[in-house]
């Protein structure tokens, strides 16, 4: 098991023990993060970015690491998330293998990787851990929390767990709960890993590694991250050159198959399989409405009530962005977020974008997402104005 930590990563120690929502606790756990820009004297210009399942905290180049980050086109001086104005913090997810404590980290009691001894992980655990990073930087209230994909779930859980922690919110291709289709896909991804003999109940190493399971899991994921429209426009029915066709029955024949294979092979040794499964399952379990079962006096999930409660706790402005071609986090989920926040008194907008690039559009379609995110942030007033 290997952790993949970029240079320039900084750390915050979590309280020890750190209790987990579904039982168990972590000792000696930490969260990885990076920052850009300068924090104002009143700490009122802080923006928190919460990521999808696989990214690290290195969203863009900075003094600690000049290499381009996974959101390089969106974050920096004069860019949509303008670090000349905003102090930006990006947190690596709890449970990841890229700096924050996760199944690939060393268990302090054994000196070996946690593996399946890592406690059951929930989106809510990641939200509370992110809140500790914010507090450690002396930030009492964020100007904005931005969540992408899984990070959109974590952002909502954070706003529910820490009422008033942010004045505004941008939810990008996120959701307030997992839907059956996405649960089914992630279940198949986990099954692909579990059925690889090399997984060995989570006890693998670099020499005996569930590569086949991870390849299949990643291919399934990539298929759902993009849209059928893009697959068709990008590859059509183009076949491989005859000298590139594998000499085996039912081997690779089409360009799209070759693309998926190459993409998966680049990924499989860069992300820990156990971390992949823990984070995947945390999304399946997430249902923001659970936060409202006691607070709102209900016994069943009440997503709308939970979103309204977040707004009522002081969230002044929000933007929920989705993509028409997203099959993994479909558009109605982002609309649900905006409507629920609006019901609680938040000035919340829903923005459906016509990008052909599916769920991953926020990573690549900067021409559409940049103006939307940058425009929202540019309209935010100073703290006193936002609190008004």
């Amino acid at each position: 098991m290997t952790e993949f930590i970029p240079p320039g990563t900084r750390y915050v120690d979590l309280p020890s023990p750190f209790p987990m929502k579904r039982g168990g606790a972590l000792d000696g756990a930490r969260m990885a993060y990076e920052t850009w820009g300068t924090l104002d004297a009143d700490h009122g210009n802080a923006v928190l970015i919460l990521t999808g399942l696989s990214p690290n905290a290195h969203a863009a180049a900075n003094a600690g690491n000049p290499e381009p980050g996974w959101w390089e086109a969106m974050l920096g001086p004069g860019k949509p998330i303008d670090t000349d104005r905003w102090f930006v913090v990006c947190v690596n997810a709890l449970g990841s293998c890229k700096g924050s404590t996760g199944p690939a980290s060393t268990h302090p009691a054994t000196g070996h990787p946690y593996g399946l001894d890592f406690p059951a992980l929930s989106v809510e655990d990641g939200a509370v851990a992110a809140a500790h990073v914010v507090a450690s930087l002396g930030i009492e209230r964020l100007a904005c929390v931005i969540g992408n994909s899984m990070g959109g779930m974590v952002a909502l859980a954070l706003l529910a767990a820490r009422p008033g922690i942010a004045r505004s919110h941008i939810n990008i291709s996120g959701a307030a709960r997992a839907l059956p289709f996405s649960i089914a896909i992630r279940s198949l991804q986990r099954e692909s890993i579990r059925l690889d003999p090399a997984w060995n109940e989570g006890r693998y190493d670099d020499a005996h590694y569930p590569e086949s399971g991870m390849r299949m899991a990643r291919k399934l994921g990539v298929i759902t991250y993009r849209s059928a429209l893009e697959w068709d426009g990008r590859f059509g029915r183009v076949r491989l050159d005859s000298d590139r066709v594998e000499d085996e029955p039912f081997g690779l024949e089409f360009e799209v198959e070759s693309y998926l294979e190459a993409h998966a092979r680049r990924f499989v040794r860069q992300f820990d399989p156990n971390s992949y499964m823990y984070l995947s399952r945390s999304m399946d379990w997430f249902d923001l409405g659970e936060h409202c079962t006691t607070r709102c006096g209900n016994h069943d999930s009440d997503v709308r009530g939970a979103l309204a409660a977040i707004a009522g706790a002081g969230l002044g402005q929000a933007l929920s962005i989705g993509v028409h071609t997203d099959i993994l986090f479909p558009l109605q989920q982002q609309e649900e977020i905006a409507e629920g926040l609006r019901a609680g008194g938040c000035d919340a907008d829903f923005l459906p974008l016509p990008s052909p690039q599916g769920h991953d559009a926020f990573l690549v379609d900067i021409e559409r997402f940049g103006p939307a995110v940058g425009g929202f942030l540019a309209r935010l007033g100073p703290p006193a104005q936002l609190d008004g």
Side-chain angles (χ1 to χ4, degrees), residues 8 35-36 61-66:
T35 66
W36 299 258
N62 56 22
N65 182 358

Side-chain angles (χ1 to χ4, degrees), residues 370-382:
V373 172
F376 178 88
L377 292 174
R379 291 190 296 272
L380 293 182

Side-chain angles (χ1 to χ4, degrees), residues 8 12 40 48 91 140 143 161 187 202 256 270 284 300 325 335 357 364 368 374 380:
V12 167
D40 285 350
L48 174 66
V91 175
E140 294 184 1
S187 175
V256 66
Q270 296 300 313
D284 291 351
D300 299 314
T325 55
E335 187 173 20
Q357 291 163 313
V364 292
R368 288 186 173 91
L380 293 182

Side-chain angles (χ1 to χ4, degrees), residues 136-383:
S136 76
L137 296 171
I139 300 164
E140 294 184 1
R141 198 160 191 221
L142 296 159
C144 188
V145 56
I146 303 173
N148 300 316
S149 187
M150 184 187 80
M153 292 177 160
V154 179
L156 293 175
L158 172 64
L159 293 166
R162 297 288 189 273
I165 194 172
R167 301 183 181 95
S168 69
H169 171 43
I170 302 176
N171 198 291
I172 301 175
S173 299
R177 55 184 164 184
L179 293 181
F181 176 79
S182 56
I183 292 172
I185 292 295
R186 288 191 289 264
S187 175
L188 286 174
Q189 291 175 300
R190 295 193 297 273
E191 186 174 355
S192 297
I193 297 170
R194 289 189 297 106
L195 293 182
D196 187 323
W199 182 64
N200 190 29
E201 299 296 322
R203 298 183 297 272
Y204 48 82
D205 56 30
D206 289 341
H208 303 88
Y209 184 89
E211 184 154 343
S212 293
M214 282 292 282
R215 280 175 48 242
M216 292 306 300
R218 185 59 174 176
K219 286 182 180 182
L220 277 168
V222 171
I223 289 169
T224 64
Y225 298 156
R226 299 299 176 95
S227 72
L229 183 65
E230 186 187 6
W231 291 120
D232 186 51
R234 193 168 175 183
F235 298 105
R237 288 181 50 80
V238 177
R239 282 178 162 80
L240 297 171
D241 297 334
S242 58
D243 59 350
R244 292 174 59 198
V245 175
E246 293 188 6
D247 186 20
E248 64 178 69
F250 302 102
L252 304 183
E253 183 177 357
F254 291 89
E255 286 282 1
V256 66
E257 295 177 285
S258 178
Y259 170 83
L260 286 172
E261 180 68 16
H263 191 100
R265 287 192 180 279
R266 286 195 300 271
F267 178 82
V268 293
R269 291 282 181 162
Q270 296 300 313
F271 205 89
D272 174 61
N274 287 335
S275 295
Y276 196 94
M277 294 205 295
Y278 269 84
L279 289 165
S280 163
R281 188 177 60 176
S282 76
M283 287 190 279
D284 291 351
W285 281 339
F286 182 60
D287 184 345
L288 184 70
E290 291 179 352
H291 290 276
C292 211
T293 54
T294 300
R295 188 181 302 165
C296 304
N298 297 326
H299 300 289
D300 299 314
S301 171
D302 182 2
V303 168
R304 187 179 178 88
L307 288 164
I310 287 172
L315 187 72
Q317 295 169 259
L319 175 63
S320 185
I321 308 175
V323 172
H324 285 282
T325 55
D326 189 345
I327 61 171
L328 193 62
F329 284 66
L331 205 58
Q332 67 264 27
Q333 295 197 283
Q334 294 85 56
E335 187 173 20
E336 178 182 55
I337 292 168
E339 289 178 349
L341 293 174
R342 202 178 300 129
C346 177
D347 179 10
D349 289 327
F350 165 57
L351 179 61
L353 294 177
S355 175
Q357 291 163 313
H359 183 67
D360 267 0
F362 68 88
L363 294 172
V364 292
D365 195 350
I366 304 302
E367 288 186 4
R368 288 186 173 91
F369 278 85
V373 172
F376 178 88
L377 292 174
R379 291 190 296 272
L380 293 182

